[in-house]
Amino acid sequence: MSGVWGTGGPRCQAALALLASLCRARPPPLGLDVETCRSFELQPPERSPSAAGSGPSVSLLAVVVIVCGVALVAVFLFLFWKLCWMPWRSKEASSPASANPPPEAPQSPGSRGTMADKLKDTNTLGFLEAAVKISHTSPDIPAEVQMSVKEHVMRHTRLQRQTTEPASSTRHTSFKRHLPRQMHVSSVDYGNELPPAAEQPTSIGRIKPELYKQKSVDGDDAKSEATKSCGKINFSLRYDYESETLIVRILKAFDLPAKDFCGSSDPYVKIYLLPDRKCKLQTRVHRKTLNPTFDENFHFPVPYEELADRKLHLSVFDFDRFSRHDMIGEVILDNLFEASDLSRETSIWKDIQYATSESVDLGEIMFSLCYLPTAGRLTLTVIKCRNLKAMDITGYSDPYVKVSLLCDGRRLKKKKTTIKKNTLNPVYNEAIIFDIPPENMDQVSLLISVMDYDRVGHNEIIGVCRVGINAEGLGRDHWNEMLAYPRKPIAHWHSLVEGNPRL
């Protein structure tokens, strides 16, 4: 019972609460005086531990609820500002501008240019034609626009009426299909595009020829070095009709370059009558001199009828006792009848051309070129070859001619002649035809390869020559002469040189 009626018991607490309520009544009930109630109110009631612990937890929960509510209100306001306020403000700002458009500014030349660019679109042609029809009654369309529309429509109509333009040949279509991609760009029809002069050129992506001048200069230097003179040589020719012998007399040489450390040379001369290299004749060696006098005669038995097909080859060497002889230069006389008819002795002076090794005579080929611009047809007729190099152990060859059409280093087409057995002077008279449009003639070239046929193994190359706008020497001259005289066959002899037939 003490636990129930103790200081902290429930009955004691209830009695105290009842007493407090009686003291608060006005007037107080009988038996209670005012001082007793006042003393009782001044004494603080004791609180239970459970009531003391529940106070902080309730206040903490209230703080958390308040903070969460504030956060939710802030998120709601932010979403309302982004979704409703901003679109409404932008719509309100744009509505006055649309309601009150600014006055139309006068058209500048630049705006007229952009209007002309828009007129190039073929998809808007129907709309433009309709605009032309109503332009007479609608004062809103400027006069410049009306004129541009009329010009565009008239140009389009004129292009549609051009039905007499010749169609491209199917042969040329097959040729263009083999051309590189960059060559097709030049032949594209731009239709109604403005002239190229109206475009503003920029330096980006343009080819600058000045960047390539150094390369051409270097190439010219190499050519000049290859053709520089290494002195002069004096010789004479005479033909003995009784013995059918060509007499070559080596007289002297002048101003030869020094090949030895002492500033001198030990020169001598080798003589060939091409295409026969088996018969080689040679002068004596003259010690330590740059201006030797030889004065020696050499005899070559050859019929007079064959002299037109022979060449005289002189090679000047510097003699070295303990090493390989150094070549000073060479002289090749293509036409033995250049100075006279050889009935009497004729003295000839020739410049000695620089060379590091003896040039090998591979033979010559004769062919003709003829171009028909109206048909776009190039005809190369292989006529014959002479003095070809022997490739077989029998001393002969089985030659045939392969002609390749090149464009920017790429082989587009190739054609061959028949094979001639066991001969060094074949005769073909065979025509090879290529279909080339006139606008592409300055972009192509022909590579003529003389091959030796082998039944077993790979065919060997005897020599090549090239003709075209980018060829050198006679190959370029022959091509230009063909273009200068269309529909006329132009024939020339071409010397064969070493080369790669796979170009």
Side-chain angles (χ1 to χ4, degrees), residues 2-15:
S2 63
V4 176
W5 291 100
T7 306
R11 293 185 179 182
C12 183
Q13 293 291 338

Side-chain angles (χ1 to χ4, degrees), residues 38-299:
R38 186 175 299 170
S39 62
F40 175 77
E41 290 179 355
L42 293 176
Q43 183 180 0
E46 295 185 3
R47 302 177 62 183
S48 62
S50 60
S54 61
S57 61
V58 172
S59 61
L60 180 61
L61 179 61
V63 170
V64 172
V65 171
I66 293 173
V67 170
C68 293
V70 172
L72 290 176
V73 171
V75 171
F76 175 76
L77 293 177
F78 178 77
L79 293 177
F80 175 78
W81 179 72
K82 292 292 290 184
L83 297 178
C84 300
W85 179 259
M86 292 298 294
W88 182 78
R89 289 290 297 174
S90 60
K91 186 176 181 180
E92 183 181 2
S94 60
S95 58
S98 60
N100 300 320
E104 183 179 359
Q107 291 187 348
S108 62
S111 62
R112 296 176 185 175
T114 56
M115 180 64 71
D117 293 339
K118 293 180 180 179
L119 292 177
K120 294 187 292 185
D121 189 3
T122 57
N123 296 330
T124 61
L125 182 59
F127 173 76
L128 295 177
E129 292 177 350
V132 171
K133 294 178 181 179
I134 67 173
S135 61
H136 299 287
T137 59
S138 177
D140 296 335
I141 301 178
E144 293 82 358
V145 177
Q146 297 180 18
M147 293 299 297
S148 301
V149 171
K150 289 181 180 180
E151 292 177 1
H152 180 78
V153 174
M154 293 176 62
R155 191 185 308 114
H156 182 75
T157 306
R158 191 171 7 351
L159 288 175
Q160 288 181 343
R161 292 179 180 176
Q162 290 179 354
T163 58
T164 59
E165 183 180 358
S168 179
S169 174
T170 56
R171 297 180 287 107
H172 296 165
T173 303
S174 62
F175 170 81
K176 294 180 179 180
R177 186 167 57 251
H178 291 85
L179 289 177
R181 183 178 180 86
Q182 60 270 21
M183 292 184 60
H184 288 290
V185 177
S186 60
S187 61
V188 174
D189 185 10
Y190 289 96
N192 300 330
E193 292 286 342
L194 293 177
E199 299 180 359
Q200 295 296 332
T202 58
S203 60
I204 300 177
R206 294 182 57 189
I207 297 177
K208 298 181 179 180
E210 60 271 12
L211 299 178
Y212 303 93
K213 290 183 179 180
Q214 184 63 34
K215 183 177 180 180
S216 62
V217 170
D218 296 341
D220 295 340
D221 294 341
K223 293 179 182 178
S224 62
E225 181 180 359
T227 58
K228 68 180 180 181
S229 177
C230 298
K232 294 179 178 292
I233 189 171
N234 180 215
F235 60 94
S236 64
L237 300 177
R238 183 174 65 87
Y239 187 76
D240 188 353
Y241 293 91
E242 295 181 359
S243 60
E244 292 187 344
T245 303
L246 177 65
I247 302 173
V248 181
R249 185 179 182 183
I250 306 298
L251 298 175
K252 57 185 177 180
F254 175 74
D255 197 19
L256 298 179
K259 292 292 185 177
D260 299 336
F261 293 105
C262 61
S264 182
S265 296
D266 302 326
Y268 68 94
V269 181
K270 291 182 181 179
I271 304 99
Y272 300 93
L273 191 61
L274 302 179
D276 183 15
R277 284 190 172 272
K278 296 179 181 179
C279 182
K280 178 186 69 173
L281 303 179
Q282 179 177 321
T283 66
R284 298 189 305 270
V285 178
H286 290 253
R287 300 286 183 179
K288 297 182 180 180
T289 178
L290 300 179
N291 301 285
T293 301
F294 299 101
D295 198 12
E296 299 182 39
N297 294 329
F298 302 93
H299 299 262

Side-chain angles (χ1 to χ4, degrees), residues 418-467:
T418 58
I419 301 172
K420 305 297 180 180
K421 296 287 187 178
N422 298 326
T423 179
L424 299 179
N425 299 280
V427 178
Y428 298 98
N429 290 322
E430 300 181 24
I432 296 176
I433 299 175
F434 295 101
D435 297 315
I436 307 174
E439 61 269 17
N440 298 118
M441 284 298 293
D442 57 346
Q443 299 167 337
V444 299
S445 60
L446 296 177
L447 180 68
I448 297 93
S449 306
V450 181
M451 310 289 293
D452 175 53
Y453 172 78
D454 286 332
R455 187 180 300 273
V456 179
H458 296 285
N459 298 338
E460 297 178 303
I461 178 174
I462 299 177
V464 301
C465 67
R466 185 168 181 171
V467 292

Side-chain angles (χ1 to χ4, degrees), residues 347-397:
S347 178
I348 301 174
W349 280 93
K350 285 289 184 180
D351 291 331
I352 302 174
Q353 302 299 324
Y354 174 80
T356 56
S357 60
E358 289 186 276
S359 59
V360 180
D361 185 55
L362 303 176
E364 294 177 292
I365 181 174
M366 174 186 276
F367 58 86
S368 66
L369 295 175
C370 180
Y371 185 67
L372 301 177
T374 55
R377 178 174 298 172
L378 173 63
T379 303
L380 184 146
T381 303
V382 181
I383 301 174
K384 59 182 177 180
C385 299
R386 67 183 180 188
N387 302 328
L388 296 180
K389 180 182 178 181
M391 304 296 290
D392 300 337
I393 58 176
T394 59
Y396 294 97
S397 298

